[in-house]
Amino acid sequence: KSFKMAEIAALNKNQHEVYEKSLLQYWEMTSAIDTAFDDGIKQGREEEHLETARKMLAEGLEIQMISHITGLSITEIEKLNS
């Protein structure tokens, strides 16, 4: 780690600017990937809840019970029922 810090400290002004830009690009890309991953997990969970609600409706469970178990709103469940 100390060696890496010494390398960075030895950079001239232009090299340091290029280094900072590449570091910023890396952070932005990492953040975008993390956000996309989190959004994908959230969407997958929502789809799972909707599928569970569909199965519960098919089995004749009451909408209020389905809402309580899945966390979906009654309106969301009613849309599945139509």
Side-chain angles (χ1 to χ4, degrees):
K1 189 173 180 176
S2 297
F3 182 71
K4 186 69 175 170
M5 289 174 62
E7 281 183 324
I8 294 168
L11 297 175
N12 66 35
K13 184 178 179 176
N14 287 338
Q15 291 171 326
H16 198 269
E17 287 176 4
V18 169
Y19 170 76
E20 285 182 349
K21 285 180 184 178
S22 70
L23 192 57
L24 181 59
Q25 288 173 340
Y26 170 78
W27 288 337
E28 288 172 347
M29 190 179 330
T30 301
S31 177
I33 291 169
D34 289 345
T35 299
F37 181 77
D38 292 344
D39 289 349
I41 289 175
K42 182 179 176 183
Q43 183 178 358
R45 287 181 182 153
E46 289 172 1
E47 288 297 322
E48 184 178 324
H49 288 292
L50 291 171
E51 183 59 29
T52 300
R54 283 185 194 98
K55 290 177 182 178
M56 294 171 119
L57 282 170
E59 292 295 324
L61 271 73
E62 293 182 11
I63 291 177
Q64 290 80 7
M65 178 64 75
I66 296 171
S67 175
H68 177 73
I69 293 170
T70 63
L72 296 171
S73 71
I74 291 174
T75 304
E76 290 172 308
I77 296 166
E78 288 173 341
K79 286 180 185 177
L80 294 174
N81 207 13
S82 54

